[in-house]
Amino acid sequence: MADLGETVRAACTIVLSAGEAEAIADALHGRDGRDDHAGIAVPDLPGARGRVLIVDDEPVLADILSEHLADRGYEPETAVRGEDALEIVAQRPPDVVLLDITMPGIDGVTVLKRILEIDLSVPVIMVTGNGDEAIARETLRLGAFDYITKPVGFDRLDEVLSTAIAMRGQQLLASHAR
């Protein structure tokens, strides 16, 4: 139980229809689905669902995830080291980060903490091997949005990413409404 004044973050899964998810993604990227000059609908473009930074020291897995996300309409970017990920987040914050916990150099837990120092609004989804689930649960306490286990199930990945993008869109809409 949290003490008075202590900040507690929790994550949950919100099920959205495809239309709701698209509307939030459009709002996230400042699109209304129309070309203001021509008055015609703009087709979906690669990356229309959001930018996802994949941080994993296993290039084969990063490539597989990148290809899967590109096929789903996301704009993937990869980093094999924590240092590279931090530079990317600082220069051009992604909409979501997929972050491996176990990496050489700066480990995923440290990268998570630093990402949240740079931009608290970027959802970070931890990627972990089955033996690291206790650490993954600890990352939730530190501010991670959620975690998925390796081998990565694409249905679970798609679900968590969709929810993270939707929640980020809601946060951005709320901050713009102020």
Side-chain angles (χ1 to χ4, degrees):
M1 180 183 262
D3 293 328
L4 262 179
E6 182 179 357
T7 301
V8 176
R9 292 182 60 173
C12 65
T13 301
I14 299 171
V15 179
L16 300 170
S17 70
E20 291 168 325
E22 275 186 46
I24 290 171
D26 287 343
L28 177 69
H29 295 286
R31 298 185 310 261
D32 63 4
R34 301 186 61 80
D35 180 334
D36 291 334
H37 301 290
I40 57 172
V42 176
D44 281 343
L45 301 171
R49 298 185 85 186
R51 288 186 54 244
V52 180
L53 175 59
I54 303 162
V55 187
D56 200 305
D57 62 317
E58 297 178 39
V60 172
L61 178 59
D63 288 346
I64 290 169
L65 291 173
S66 183
E67 185 175 318
H68 173 78
L69 296 179
D71 289 347
R72 297 291 184 278
Y74 294 97
E75 179 186 336
E77 184 170 1
T78 59
V80 295
R81 299 174 334 122
E83 295 88 346
D84 299 332
L86 294 170
E87 187 175 310
I88 291 168
V89 171
Q91 291 179 0
R92 50 186 190 285
D95 296 307
V96 178
V97 177
L98 287 177
L99 177 59
D100 188 18
I101 289 178
T102 308
M103 295 186 297
I106 302 176
D107 65 85
V109 175
T110 303
V111 174
L112 167 67
K113 291 175 185 176
R114 291 189 186 166
I115 286 173
L116 296 175
E117 288 171 2
I118 295 169
D119 187 346
L120 191 60
S121 71
V122 174
V124 180
I125 300 166
M126 305 304 291
V127 181
T128 179
N130 287 326
D132 292 333
E133 284 193 67
I135 296 170
R137 284 190 296 275
E138 173 65 14
T139 65
L140 296 177
R141 188 186 68 75
L142 295 172
F145 178 79
D146 204 341
Y147 72 92
I148 56 177
T149 58
K150 292 180 186 180
V152 175
F154 288 130
D155 289 342
R156 171 82 172 128
L157 173 64
D158 293 343
E159 176 184 309
V160 174
L161 269 176
S162 177
T163 303
I165 290 280
M167 289 186 70
R168 177 144 165 90
Q170 290 172 345
Q171 288 174 342
L172 291 175
L173 286 174
S175 70
H176 281 75
R178 292 183 195 142

